[in-house]
Amino acid sequence: MSPDAKGVCWSCGAALEAVDYQREGECQRCRKQSHVCRNCRFYEPGRPSDCQEPIAEPVRDKDRANFCDYFEPSSETYRPGADIDALRAAADSLFET
């Protein structure tokens, strides 16, 4: 990762600096972990393992810190109101018996 890497938090949209992307780093505003798939430029829901990088190891929890060597911060990760996983979980809970 570049020492001047900058991006935004996938959860709240706050600006992040390179230091915020350490393995156990977190967003200073919402305290969500930042070295996560959802903050990566390769994250793309719907692709195999939700990742554009074809040789990256699959990561099960896209919101938790991981050790992926292909992680690259992105400034386009914040999508207000588009939390597909939360919407899917809510819909699934409606039909549980």
Side-chain angles (χ1 to χ4, degrees):
M1 180 173 14
S2 165
D4 58 338
K6 295 181 182 179
V8 297
C9 175
W10 65 271
S11 179
C12 72
L16 298 174
E17 301 294 324
V19 69
D20 297 319
Y21 290 107
Q22 296 175 11
R23 167 71 171 87
E24 293 295 327
E26 61 183 29
C27 173
Q28 296 301 307
R29 184 190 298 166
C30 70
R31 298 293 190 215
K32 297 283 186 179
Q33 293 178 321
S34 55
H35 193 286
V36 301
C37 292
R38 294 187 65 165
N39 255 355
C40 182
R41 78 174 190 92
F42 294 117
Y43 179 67
E44 186 176 331
R47 297 207 43 148
S49 299
D50 294 331
C51 186
Q52 295 177 24
E53 179 53 57
I55 58 175
E57 291 287 325
V59 174
R60 176 165 271 165
D61 192 344
K62 309 298 184 194
D63 301 347
R64 300 286 312 244
N66 60 60
F67 291 102
C68 182
D69 291 331
Y70 298 100
F71 177 83
E72 290 184 25
S74 174
S75 60
E76 300 176 14
T77 57
Y78 179 61
R79 297 178 184 113
D83 189 348
I84 302 300
D85 295 331
L87 292 173
R88 184 174 291 127
D92 289 344
S93 70
L94 289 174
F95 299 104
E96 288 180 358
T97 56

